[in-house]
Amino acid sequence: MKAPIGWLKDFTDIKVTPKELADAMTLSGSKVEEVIDTKIEGVYVGKILEIADHPDSDHLHILKVDLGRDELGHDVQIVCGADNVEVGMICPVAAVGAELPEMTIKKGKIRGVESNGMCCSGEELGAAAAGKPGADYYGLWDLRLLDKVPEVGTDIRDLLNLDDIVTIDFEITSNRPDCFSIEGLGREAAVTLGQEFKPVSPKLKQEGSLNTEDVAKVEILDPDLCYRYCSRTVEDVKIGPSPAWMAERLLAAGMRPINNIVDITNYVCLELGQPMHAFDLDYLAGNHIIVRTAKDGEVTKTLDGNDHTLDHTNLVIADEQKVCAIAGVMGGENSEVLETTKSILFESATFNGVSVRKTAIANGLRTEASSRYEKGLDPENAIRALDRACELVEILGCGKVSKGLIDVYPTKREVKKIPFRPEKINKFLGIDATEEFMVKVLTDLECKIEDGIIIPPTFRPDLESEADISEEIARFFGYNNIPATLLNDSATTLGGRTREQSAAEKIRNTLVSCGFYEAITYSFESPSDLDALLVPEDSPLRNQVRISNPLGDDTAVMRTTMLPSMLRIAARNSNRGVPDAKVFELAYVYIPDQDPSNLPDERQTLCGFSYDNSLSDSKAIFFEMKGIIEELCAVLGIRSLSFEALSDNSSFHPGRTAKIIINGKQAGVMGVIYPTVAANFEAPEKSVFFEIDAAALISASRTERTYKQLPKFPGISRDIAVIVDKSVAVGDILRTIRSAGGKLLKEVEFFDVYEDDKLGENVKSVAVSLIFRDDNKTLTDADIKDPYDKILDKLSKNYNAKLR
């Protein structure tokens, strides 16, 4: 929001420099982006004394100019090519060293003749001169055309009031619609500087012969989208250019002057933050304003000359025959104010901000009006803005305001009430401000305080609670004045991670040390991803949280498994020529609650994959991944980890998949992805994936480590190889050995599987290394005979195992 300082001075006395004002406003909460100063220095009012033709040009002239200043000279020679020069002309003259918006003036020669400055046109002085009499002429700006001819030697900055044209560009947050106006920023400046605030209080003569209520009528069909609609009519309209002061302010604030009526609506929009529109009354069918939603396929041409096809979600301003404006966005060409316009109807309305934003986006229109309506405007400001526009009509003499007005106000804003407890505010902020100071700040901000209750003004919808009131006190008390204090014992907390956070960090660090890269993927996906994953129709994974306003079909549900996300990463890397990769993500899946009113269960899940396109078989990758999971569990201090064959998971290869068992319960799954699933996602066919419930890992982890001294006595090792049926899992054999080995069996390690026709059909040889040890003595062969025999006996009974 660009605010010229001269305009801000209409609302409060500003006796500080632009920089001091900008700094003070930033500290009080109105952040300044930029101070824009018109770059004109060293330009003075001069008088042309003599004119001679240039000896080497048919259009250049050699002038003698009086700059009216002893230090600059009274007969300065300047070469000029303007066609309207004449003796006695008063015009702007830039001396040597002068700074203009587009150039710096230097001493030089033009076709051999010395020139010590430049006589200026209005265009060369930029926006500061725009709109003033004679400034729009192509040649020199003849200052004699001004209402009061300036004295020779006058600094052009004083003539153009450039100090007032200095503009401050504020960054306005979306919760402060009141500051999207010069008046709102003027109020903030007044409170910041401790000055009186002078709001706009329009007064009307209403000299028209007609009554607005007899001339026009307004009907609101959608009160949920249009809260208030106010109108006045103006007779005997005279269209023409705006006066210099208005054009000057509009330009400084970033708007282009068009004509007096349109400029008045833009001026009020900037000054009071209330967008307005003027309709040519002669082009409103039945002089009837109807605020309604558009019909699907209805077409209107806006003021920018473009056609827009509307639908039933777009709010429009219509008459009895056609759409005349897109509500809150832009007016229609069919009721535009033109040079022939004789009577107008002013609109000052309040529309639903969400509706205006959606309509503006849908139609590719972004205007000063829509940007304000989106923030949520104050309905109570509508009539005052309407009266201000009509007051300006009377001041500019461009029409007669009709008597009366139309005010349709179906939806009023609720008045908020907030407790006023100064002691709580002081405690909350850690300050010692007096109650008198707080009352003054809140009163200056136009809050009412009655019986210990604060009633915020309707233009401050952001004031909802005591915390908001405390913020208002803090920013005018001065953030720099809030004392720095140390926390007391009860408020002091020790920093650090929770047990769960520490375990999660260990998981990440361990996998990274094993060669993995961490990824971050989206939590939403397409329902069709489960089809590509070959998930059965009756699977619990099909019960997904649906997003009510998805960005698209591919992001319509929250994921219940992370496998699709990981498969896409694997596919992207492989398809882009990455020969091998290891990637993991520790994130969440979302499981709906049985009660739809409850939030879903957010389960932290660990998922990852590994592939190597140089290998012809996935066996090596499978066992590497198994080893990585064992390493991860070892780092976490998980003592009970095992793997069991799994053949009924449709997403994985039935012969190369295993359950991950932690403390006797399934915590996850790992295995080679099923070829059809890999093809559906275009992922490498020999990829090995794992998905583990992170909560199971973290709850089973043991952060404490117990020291155990090295054994004092040697152990006895034995290797056994047993022949069993091929269907017998190695893991089952190891568990049986551990349970039968007793206390003396300290270590069991599988090291070989051998298959050969000589062993027999459908059998295999499993070789295991055993270590027996006693902590109190050296064992003999006789000591381990009993547990050794029990192991063989148990294997024989359970699996019909034979010692090879």
Side-chain angles (χ1 to χ4, degrees):
M1 175 73 193
K2 292 181 178 178
I5 290 181
W7 204 345
L8 288 174
K9 287 181 178 179
D10 286 359
F11 300 96
T12 190
D13 292 331
I14 298 176
K15 301 177 181 178
V16 296
T17 66
K19 185 179 186 308
E20 289 171 335
L21 175 63
D23 291 344
M25 293 287 280
T26 296
L27 287 175
S28 67
S30 301
K31 183 185 176 187
V32 172
E33 286 288 306
E34 183 183 8
V35 177
I36 305 168
D37 190 355
T38 303
K39 188 179 180 182
I40 298 179
E41 298 286 349
V43 181
Y44 306 95
V45 174
K47 183 177 182 179
I48 299 175
L49 303 176
E50 298 179 11
I51 302 176
D53 292 334
H54 193 291
D56 194 25
S57 173
D58 58 357
H59 71 282
L60 295 176
H61 308 283
I62 302 172
L63 313 180
K64 278 194 176 180
V65 181
D66 182 6
L67 289 178
R69 292 183 172 240
D70 293 337
E71 71 274 16
L72 297 173
H74 295 275
D75 56 353
V76 177
Q77 179 172 295
I78 295 175
V79 177
C80 177
D83 59 2
N84 65 331
V85 294
E86 60 181 58
V87 174
M89 175 182 276
I90 306 294
C91 66
V93 181
V96 173
E99 297 282 344
L100 294 177
E102 301 293 336
M103 67 186 84
T104 299
I105 305 303
K106 299 178 180 179
K107 182 178 181 179
K109 288 185 178 182
I110 300 178
R111 294 198 178 183
V113 177
E114 186 175 284
S115 182
N116 299 297
M118 182 180 78
C119 296
C120 302
S121 67
E123 182 181 3
E124 287 162 336
L125 295 178
K132 292 183 170 57
D136 57 349
Y137 185 74
Y138 179 74
L140 299 184
W141 182 13
D142 190 347
L143 299 177
R144 295 174 298 179
L145 298 175
L146 299 179
D147 295 336
K148 182 180 179 181
V149 179
E151 293 184 9
V152 175
T154 301
D155 192 322
I156 206 72
R157 290 187 67 89
D158 298 332
L159 177 65
L160 300 179
N161 298 318
L162 288 184
D163 289 337
D164 283 353
I165 294 177
V166 174
T167 300
I168 298 180
D169 191 2
F170 291 91
E171 178 188 334
I172 310 298
T173 55
S174 60
N175 67 326
R176 290 299 304 274
D178 58 302
C179 287
F180 271 93
S181 66
I182 305 296
E183 184 187 58
L185 291 169
R187 183 186 296 107
E188 291 289 310
V191 182
T192 299
L193 300 175
Q195 299 291 332
E196 179 187 358
F197 173 61
K198 296 171 280 189
V200 171
S201 300
K203 296 179 181 178
L204 298 178
K205 300 175 183 178
Q206 294 180 275
E207 297 174 334
S209 61
L210 303 174
N211 190 302
T212 297
E213 293 178 87
D214 296 334
V215 173
K217 55 182 177 179
V218 173
E219 186 178 3
I220 298 176
L221 300 184
D222 290 279
D224 291 338
L225 301 181
C226 179
Y227 306 142
R228 190 176 194 179
Y229 198 102
C230 310
S231 292
R232 287 188 187 273
T233 55
V234 179
E235 313 160 29
D236 300 331
V237 172
K238 300 178 182 66
I239 304 298
S242 297
W245 64 267
M246 179 175 283
E248 192 176 272
R249 285 185 169 183
L250 290 174
L251 285 165
M255 278 193 175
R256 179 175 59 88
I258 298 174
N259 62 50
N260 46 14
I261 297 299
V262 174
D263 291 350
I264 285 172
T265 62
N266 289 336
Y267 189 90
V268 174
C269 177
L270 291 171
E271 185 178 54
L272 300 183
Q274 173 64 51
M276 294 188 63
H277 187 66
F279 296 97
D280 188 324
L281 199 57
D282 292 337
Y283 291 96
L284 286 178
N287 290 358
H288 188 185
I289 290 289
I290 305 171
V291 185
R292 60 172 174 84
T293 53
K295 301 169 186 175
D296 287 333
E298 199 165 12
V299 179
T300 187
K301 180 175 286 189
T302 49
L303 291 171
D304 58 3
N306 294 320
D307 289 327
H308 296 276
T309 302
L310 308 174
D311 60 36
H312 66 278
T313 65
N314 302 146
L315 188 70
V316 299
I317 311 300
D319 60 18
E320 294 178 354
Q321 298 176 358
K322 62 188 179 298
V323 172
C324 300
I326 302 176
V329 182
M330 187 176 287
E333 193 178 81
N334 53 27
S335 57
E336 179 183 4
V337 173
L338 303 171
E339 292 182 2
T340 57
T341 298
K342 296 302 178 185
S343 58
I344 62 172
L345 181 141
F346 275 127
E347 166 196 283
S348 180
T350 310
F351 303 111
N352 179 282
V354 175
S355 171
V356 171
R357 181 175 182 274
K358 289 182 177 179
T359 298
I361 292 173
N363 290 280
L365 294 171
R366 193 75 172 176
T367 62
E368 289 284 346
S370 67
S371 65
R372 283 168 170 76
Y373 278 120
E374 289 172 10
K375 310 299 185 294
L377 297 185
D378 177 18
E380 300 297 324
N381 193 37
I383 283 188
R384 190 169 67 107
L386 178 65
D387 290 349
R388 175 59 169 160
C390 292
E391 179 187 45
L392 289 170
V393 167
E394 295 178 342
I395 290 172
L396 270 56
C398 54
K400 295 179 181 179
V401 179
S402 303
K403 297 175 178 61
L405 77 143
I406 298 173
D407 181 14
V408 183
Y409 196 177
T411 310
K412 294 192 176 183
R413 180 174 288 176
E414 180 183 355
V415 177
K416 296 171 184 172
K417 296 182 179 181
I418 304 171
F420 178 46
R421 295 184 285 185
E423 67 285 350
K424 185 173 181 180
I425 293 174
N426 276 331
K427 185 177 181 181
F428 182 73
L429 297 175
I431 63 175
D432 190 22
T434 64
E435 182 175 342
E436 291 73 19
F437 170 79
M438 295 184 190
V439 170
K440 183 179 187 313
V441 168
L442 295 173
T443 303
D444 289 345
L445 292 173
E446 301 186 36
C447 293
K448 294 180 181 178
I449 303 176
E450 301 174 354
D451 301 326
I453 298 294
I454 301 169
I455 303 175
T458 54
F459 58 79
R460 289 298 303 274
D462 59 307
L463 299 182
E464 298 179 332
S465 65
E466 288 182 271
D468 299 321
I469 298 298
S470 298
E471 182 182 0
E472 298 302 296
I473 299 301
R475 64 193 187 95
F476 292 109
F477 181 83
Y479 294 115
N480 292 342
N481 297 324
I482 298 177
T485 56
L486 295 173
L487 295 172
N488 57 38
D489 292 341
S490 61
T492 303
T493 58
L494 294 175
R497 296 187 177 97
T498 63
R499 178 180 178 277
E500 290 74 16
Q501 290 171 333
S502 297
E505 192 66 14
K506 274 189 178 182
I507 292 171
R508 291 187 176 95
N509 291 339
T510 302
L511 290 176
V512 169
S513 68
C514 290
F516 280 78
Y517 287 91
E518 184 175 7
I520 299 176
T521 61
Y522 291 116
S523 297
F524 29 75
E525 61 188 15
S526 169
S528 62
D529 284 345
L530 295 183
D531 295 332
L533 209 59
L534 303 184
V535 174
E537 291 296 331
D538 59 350
S539 170
L541 296 179
R542 294 278 184 179
N543 185 20
Q544 296 174 298
V545 177
R546 295 195 169 271
I547 300 172
S548 58
N549 56 339
L551 297 174
D553 292 339
D554 57 338
T555 56
V557 295
M558 304 299 290
R559 64 187 177 191
T560 52
T561 172
M562 293 172 62
L563 284 175
S565 301
M566 290 292 105
L567 279 158
R568 287 193 182 89
I569 295 177
R572 189 176 303 116
N573 280 272
S574 180
N575 294 336
R576 293 184 181 180
V578 179
D580 58 88
K582 293 187 182 76
V583 178
F584 79 94
E585 181 179 15
L586 182 61
Y588 292 90
V589 296
Y590 303 84
I591 309 301
D593 193 89
Q594 291 183 348
D595 184 351
S597 63
N598 292 335
L599 292 174
D601 178 18
E602 299 183 31
R603 296 182 186 174
Q604 195 173 27
T605 303
L606 177 65
C607 189
F609 69 84
S610 174
Y611 75 80
D612 189 339
N613 290 334
S614 66
L615 298 177
S616 59
D617 188 79
S618 59
K619 186 176 180 180
I621 305 174
F622 179 90
F623 284 110
E624 181 189 32
M625 187 70 81
K626 178 174 176 290
I628 290 170
I629 293 172
E630 290 173 340
E631 173 66 15
L632 174 62
C633 290
V635 170
L636 292 174
I638 296 173
R639 297 181 179 179
S640 177
L641 169 69
S642 60
F643 299 86
E644 292 183 8
L646 178 65
S647 59
D648 60 353
N649 189 317
S650 56
S651 301
F652 290 89
H653 195 293
R656 300 178 182 178
T657 304
K659 300 177 186 177
I660 300 172
I661 309 296
I662 295 176
N663 289 342
K665 296 181 180 179
Q666 181 175 345
V669 62
M670 65 157 288
V672 179
I673 204 71
Y674 195 71
T676 304
V677 173
N680 290 341
F681 287 91
E682 299 182 1
E685 196 171 300
K686 302 177 183 63
S687 303
V688 176
F689 284 75
F690 67 85
E691 188 170 33
I692 307 173
D693 181 7
L697 280 174
I698 293 171
S699 62
S701 65
R702 297 169 62 93
T703 56
E704 296 180 356
R705 294 291 188 268
T706 302
Y707 169 74
K708 188 176 181 181
Q709 68 178 8
L710 293 173
K712 295 180 180 180
F713 301 97
I716 297 177
S717 64
R718 290 287 185 270
D719 293 342
I720 62 172
V722 292
I723 298 173
V724 295
D725 191 84
K726 284 185 178 181
S727 62
V728 177
V730 172
D732 293 337
I733 293 174
L734 297 179
R735 279 189 289 274
T736 300
I737 292 174
R738 290 190 184 100
S739 64
K743 294 181 179 180
L744 295 181
L745 181 61
K746 301 299 183 182
E747 296 179 31
V748 180
E749 185 176 352
F750 152 76
F751 65 87
D752 185 43
V753 172
Y754 176 71
E755 297 180 13
D756 193 282
D757 293 340
K758 295 179 181 178
L759 296 176
E761 292 185 3
N762 296 320
V763 296
K764 61 184 177 183
S765 170
V766 178
V768 181
S769 175
L770 313 175
I771 294 180
F772 298 89
R773 184 184 299 110
D774 193 317
D775 294 335
N776 300 312
K777 66 176 183 178
T778 299
L779 294 176
T780 64
D781 290 342
D783 294 327
I784 67 169
K785 184 179 186 307
D786 183 55
Y788 184 79
D789 290 342
K790 284 182 178 180
I791 290 171
L792 295 178
D793 182 59
K794 199 74 171 177
L795 290 174
S796 177
K797 288 180 179 180
N798 289 357
Y799 310 111
N800 196 27
K802 297 178 181 178
L803 193 62
R804 181 181 170 191

